[in-house]
Amino acid sequence: EVQLVESGGDLVQPGWSLRLSCATSGFTFDDYAMHWVRQAPGKGLEWVSGITWNSGSIAYADSVKGRFTISRDNAKNSLYLQMNSLRPEDTALYYCAKDLVGAGIDAFDLWGQGTVVTVSS
Amino acid sequence: QSALTQPASVSASPGQSITISCTGTSSDVGYYNLVSWYQHHPGKAPKLMIYEVTKRPSGVSNRFSGSKSGNTASLTISGLQAEDEADYYCCSNVDSSTLVFGGGTKLTVL
């Protein structure tokens, strides 16, 4: 079965760190770029970060640049998001999403169910 | 990375057609033929409905179609059905490695 399963979401205080994981199965993970997309409560979707198949190209939204780090382990078919210096505005449901292509960015044809990150004192 | 502009809501009766617009700039929507559209039912994972402006993934109904003119992309849904009621988001490349979503449009089927 083709699926993405996120984990690692939690309730943390401002300034803390958190690492999200996305375990994948059912497709050739290292053929595709991967992304993190989030949705804050009552808000729309926001692209957070993306990484190409070989980690050769990595990009971030301005809102997380310098604080978040995306990575992948193709041997483990897994995607990660290291989130540092968390802020209340980072509170959201974080989705892992698979791209249609490997070497660039196109569209997200497979999504996980998401993991909740809450940043509050 | 400013969000693309979508109407907050649209509504129509079953069987009718609607069009949702997505306005960007000459640097994103107007430059790249990489606009995609997603259907999002609350509590579920978003679903890809249209990619590369006009292409439909396998399994998506042909009632859904996409187009673009200048800096504005559009999603048209014909023959509205109750299950089409959802939030719809457009998305476009901003450059070769970054993306931006629209603010989302809530579709109500009356």
Side-chain angles (χ1 to χ4, degrees), chain B residues 49-50 56-57 59-66 76-79 81:
Chain B
M49 306 304 286
I50 296 289
R56 218 172 25 250
V60 172
S61 171
N62 59 9
R63 298 186 297 106
F64 292 82
S65 62
T76 297
I77 310 173
S78 60
Q81 299 178 1

Side-chain angles (χ1 to χ4, degrees), chain A residues 7-21 36 67-70 80-87 90-92 94 115-120:
Chain A
S7 61
D10 204 349
L11 168 62
V12 297
Q13 295 186 13
W16 286 23
S17 297
L18 205 57
R19 189 194 196 208
L20 305 184
S21 299
W36 289 98
R67 299 187 299 120
F68 289 12
T69 301
I70 191 172
Y80 306 100
L81 186 67
Q82 177 66 43
M83 303 186 295
N84 298 331
S85 302
L86 281 162
R87 304 168 179 169
D90 295 319
T91 295
Y94 283 74
T115 187
V116 176
V117 173
T118 304
V119 184
S120 175

Side-chain angles (χ1 to χ4, degrees), chain A residues 24-84:
Chain A
T24 76
S25 60
F27 65 96
T28 306
F29 181 70
D30 55 12
D31 275 351
Y32 298 98
M34 297 293 296
H35 303 265
W36 289 98
V37 177
R38 68 185 181 184
Q39 184 174 33
K43 303 294 185 180
L45 299 175
E46 179 188 14
W47 176 81
V48 173
S49 181
I51 184 170
T52 52
W53 69 278
N54 63 351
S55 304
S57 179
I58 288 174
Y60 302 95
D62 289 343
S63 57
V64 306
K65 199 173 295 182
R67 299 187 299 120
F68 289 12
T69 301
I70 191 172
S71 62
R72 63 190 295 161
D73 185 335
N74 287 347
K76 295 183 177 180
N77 296 327
S78 293
L79 177 72
Y80 306 100
L81 186 67
Q82 177 66 43
M83 303 186 295
N84 298 331

Side-chain angles (χ1 to χ4, degrees), chain B residues 15-27:
Chain B
Q16 292 186 323
S17 297
I18 62 97
T19 297
I20 299 171
S21 62
C22 170
T23 301
T25 69
S26 57
S27 298

